[in-house]
Amino acid sequence: MADSSPVVVVTGANGLVGAAVCRALAARSAQVRAVVRRAGSAPALDGVTEHVGDFADESFAREVTRGADAVVTTVHPMGSSREEQHRVGAEGTPVLARAARENGVARLVHVSTAGVYDRSPEMGDVAEDGALTPDGSGAYPDTKNATDAALAQVEGLTTVLVRPPAIIGAGQTSVWNTLRPRAVRDGHRRANPEQTWSWVHVDDLAAFIADVATGAVATADDPERGPVAGRATPVIVAGEPATWRDYLGTVTDALGVAPEWTDEPVWTGQLRTDRARRWGWAPRVDLGTALAELRRGVSAADPGD
């Protein structure tokens, strides 16, 4: 890793997570190659240059990773067809990973998801070695698991599989601050209030990713102390404990509608963040602050938009 001004490639730089990662990297004086599909959509920040192209295209992948110190991948078309999610994630992302390895990139940081873990009602707390969801659990967990497995097969590249739960943060494309509240407004208000609602604020997630990508977190022989060189290391990042009463209660109250509480068996465990904390990370956005931001955004939104 470069001692100063590391060069970091970020895919999906116009998305909620990608843009936050670009901001965090720029704050660390990194030179960011922001990969987007639409010209003019990358964050306008000092040290950030826009690169328009498809990271699954081998020639583009080789070009954009040449001379880079790290690559951050944030793209997965959640909500699209299983075929599209598999094509972009399990097939496309490894193309970029192989190009990075061939160009001598020090490490790849991939935004995976805590959704790859089995969080059935009978499960307790979940750490990185927890049971994964079985195949057939749904398009999103299936294709995210397949992507993680494909990246782990890219030998010789230090890969960090960052596994966040629900990512909170203001933005038009934010699932939990914008899209899910719209669904709640339209009638999707059922949940067991005691069910665990695992979350992390996008700024805390981006800070962790930026530290890993820039080498502030050193490699180690033990994954509990840092990314293992030449291998894929998973790491969970999550905020403080919360339930669906916290999340759905905030959204419905802001919308002026009533939640529909249920009592079916649900997961009430927690995501363990011991590994991330041993790597030097700690979330700075608490639950109250995150929910206040959520409430402001929901209350300010046009009820008919």
Side-chain angles (χ1 to χ4, degrees):
M1 189 69 63
D3 291 333
S4 61
S5 298
V7 176
V8 183
V9 178
V10 179
T11 70
N14 58 329
L16 178 73
V17 176
V21 170
C22 287
R23 291 193 297 270
L25 287 168
R28 289 159 175 75
S29 299
Q31 296 299 308
V32 182
R33 298 175 184 174
V35 176
V36 295
R37 296 294 300 272
R38 187 178 72 256
S41 61
L45 299 168
D46 289 342
V48 175
T49 58
E50 183 176 80
H51 294 256
V52 180
D54 180 0
F55 61 79
D57 177 83
E58 291 185 5
S59 61
F60 177 79
R62 287 194 297 270
E63 177 185 347
V64 80
T65 59
R66 187 171 295 116
D69 297 294
V71 172
V72 176
T73 64
T74 75
V75 178
H76 193 95
M78 181 181 183
S80 62
S81 69
R82 173 184 291 268
E83 292 73 22
E84 179 68 2
Q85 291 186 58
H86 185 85
R87 183 188 69 80
V88 173
E91 296 177 3
T93 306
V95 172
L96 185 65
R98 289 190 291 270
R101 179 191 59 190
E102 292 164 7
N103 278 326
V105 171
R107 61 179 63 174
L108 180 139
V109 185
H110 173 65
V111 180
S112 178
T113 175
V116 300
Y117 292 110
D118 186 350
R119 288 178 284 175
S120 301
E122 67 276 9
M123 293 294 181
D125 291 353
V126 173
E128 284 80 8
D129 60 355
L132 301 179
T133 55
D135 192 42
S137 296
Y140 184 65
D142 286 357
T143 55
K144 291 295 271 187
N145 262 320
T147 302
D148 287 2
L151 290 174
Q153 292 173 5
V154 181
E155 298 180 354
L157 179 64
T158 301
T159 299
V160 178
L161 305 173
V162 181
R163 290 175 172 166
I167 301 170
I168 288 292
Q172 287 301 306
T173 62
S174 174
V175 171
W176 294 94
N177 286 57
T178 303
L179 303 182
R180 185 62 68 92
R182 287 177 184 170
V184 171
R185 178 199 64 194
D186 294 339
H188 298 277
R189 303 166 193 163
R190 291 175 56 83
N192 185 321
E194 304 306 318
Q195 182 175 358
T196 298
W197 181 69
S198 301
W199 67 283
V200 68
H201 194 275
V202 66
D203 291 342
D204 285 331
L205 174 63
F208 176 76
I209 291 171
D211 282 345
V212 174
T214 56
V217 180
T219 56
D221 294 333
D222 180 356
E224 297 305 321
R225 294 189 294 108
V228 178
R231 290 172 48 190
T233 305
V235 58
I236 294 171
V237 290
E240 64 187 275
T243 65
W244 271 86
R245 186 187 303 278
D246 296 311
Y247 175 75
L248 187 57
T250 297
V251 173
T252 53
D253 186 61
L255 290 171
V257 299
E260 300 174 22
W261 297 129
T262 62
D263 62 359
E264 75 279 5
V266 291
W267 182 63
T268 58
Q270 299 297 326
L271 293 176
R272 299 289 299 273
T273 60
D274 307 64
R275 177 172 292 180
R277 291 172 184 274
R278 291 189 190 101
W279 289 15
W281 177 80
R284 301 182 66 178
V285 180
D286 63 25
L287 180 62
T289 301
L291 293 180
E293 179 185 57
L294 169 66
R295 179 185 295 274
R296 288 194 300 271
V298 173
S299 298
D302 181 354
D305 86 19

